[in-house]
Amino acid sequence: MTNTDLERYVRTEKSRTNSIDEQVTIAHALWNAGIGPKHDGVKRTDLEEELDLDLDYNIGTSLSHLKEIDMIETTTPAGPSWYVISERRDTIINGEVDETAATDIERLIAHIQDDNLADESDVPAVADGAGVTVQTVVADEFDITPEAVEQFLRKGDQVEKLNKAIDAIDKHNDVDVRDDYGKIIFRAAAYRYRLSAEAVALYEQENEEDTEVGDADS
């Protein structure tokens, strides 16, 4: 590993960190791959494979250290800054959020109705609080009566109600979520990582110094 100006800087600024060797390794790998300020950057989850790195420490920790001393920078790709994902559809649903939520609410209500029909033989037990149904779990979550659940779910913020209802069902031992409806997840676009202009300047400074030495020797 060459003793670059960047390496000297990183080792000085981050001398008290355990992952310092890997911080230098990551910076060198980014430089060798040409991932600098003009590059779109690489997602953290893809960096180890793309740069062919074998790291002992969490790469996120090393990237954070390098970012703190302005050796790398983060950027976001062109396009939406947030993505909305339907767990049921297993796809991005930007622009279809309300429609998907309404569909999944109706499927949740269908589950409630099916569960109630299956439990008809246990009506007395359910009525006195001894039984548990999808309807009673959802009712408890929103602090409403079981009879009000369907009307409640169809009004207001259906995304929030869908997600909270599914979480409540999923956490309960006596009922299960069906796979014909699912949560709607909002997720920020993943950051991309690349060397900063400051880091590139340190590499280029060393190259210039090497050239000057070579010229002097000749």
Side-chain angles (χ1 to χ4, degrees):
M1 187 177 294
T2 58
N3 189 26
T4 64
D5 289 335
L6 179 139
E7 181 173 346
R8 286 192 293 271
Y9 179 73
V10 171
R11 291 191 181 281
T12 299
E13 295 296 315
K14 290 295 178 179
S15 60
R16 297 179 181 274
T17 60
N18 294 324
S19 61
I20 190 166
D21 289 339
E22 294 190 0
Q23 293 170 43
V24 173
T25 296
I26 292 167
H28 285 342
L30 288 168
W31 170 251
N32 292 332
I35 303 174
K38 296 181 180 180
H39 194 281
D40 290 338
V42 182
K43 288 193 294 186
R44 180 182 61 80
T45 52
D46 297 336
L47 270 173
E48 283 193 68
E49 181 176 353
E50 187 156 332
L51 300 178
D52 193 26
L53 298 173
D54 183 15
L55 304 175
D56 293 323
Y57 293 93
N58 186 298
I59 191 170
T61 300
S62 296
L63 290 171
S64 295
H65 286 310
L66 289 169
K67 192 172 189 297
E68 285 175 0
I69 57 173
D70 298 322
M71 291 296 96
I72 64 168
E73 61 187 14
T74 55
T75 183
T76 53
S81 57
W82 285 86
Y83 293 94
V84 189
I85 301 168
S86 165
E87 287 189 338
R88 168 177 63 86
R89 297 170 59 183
D90 192 26
T91 189
I92 294 171
I93 57 167
N94 289 22
E96 304 174 59
V97 177
D98 292 342
E99 176 185 345
T100 302
T103 296
D104 285 21
I105 283 288
E106 291 304 317
R107 292 182 176 185
L108 170 58
I109 289 172
H111 183 193
I112 289 170
Q113 293 170 344
D114 291 345
D115 189 48
N116 286 347
L117 287 173
D119 262 33
E120 280 185 346
S121 60
D122 295 327
V123 167
V126 172
D128 66 14
V132 175
T133 65
V134 176
Q135 185 179 46
T136 59
V137 170
V138 174
D140 287 344
E141 173 65 22
F142 294 106
D143 193 23
I144 57 177
T145 63
E147 294 76 15
V149 165
E150 292 185 24
Q151 183 179 7
F152 174 81
L153 291 175
R154 289 190 172 109
K155 294 181 178 180
D157 187 340
Q158 290 192 308
V159 172
E160 180 180 6
K161 291 179 179 181
L162 175 69
N163 289 348
K164 288 184 69 174
I166 290 173
D167 280 340
I169 297 167
D170 196 41
K171 291 175 183 176
H172 208 287
N173 294 328
D174 297 315
V175 291
D176 295 308
V177 176
R178 291 205 307 209
D179 59 9
D180 61 346
Y181 55 87
K183 291 175 66 176
I184 293 175
I185 308 299
F186 291 79
R187 188 168 296 163
Y191 283 124
R192 267 63 169 172
Y193 292 83
R194 63 191 183 191
L195 286 177
S196 66
E198 291 88 344
V200 170
L202 288 172
Y203 278 115
E204 291 177 342
Q205 176 178 313
E206 187 204 9
N207 289 340
E208 290 173 3
E209 291 170 353
D210 289 344
T211 301
E212 291 172 359
V213 170
D215 291 342
D217 289 343
S218 60

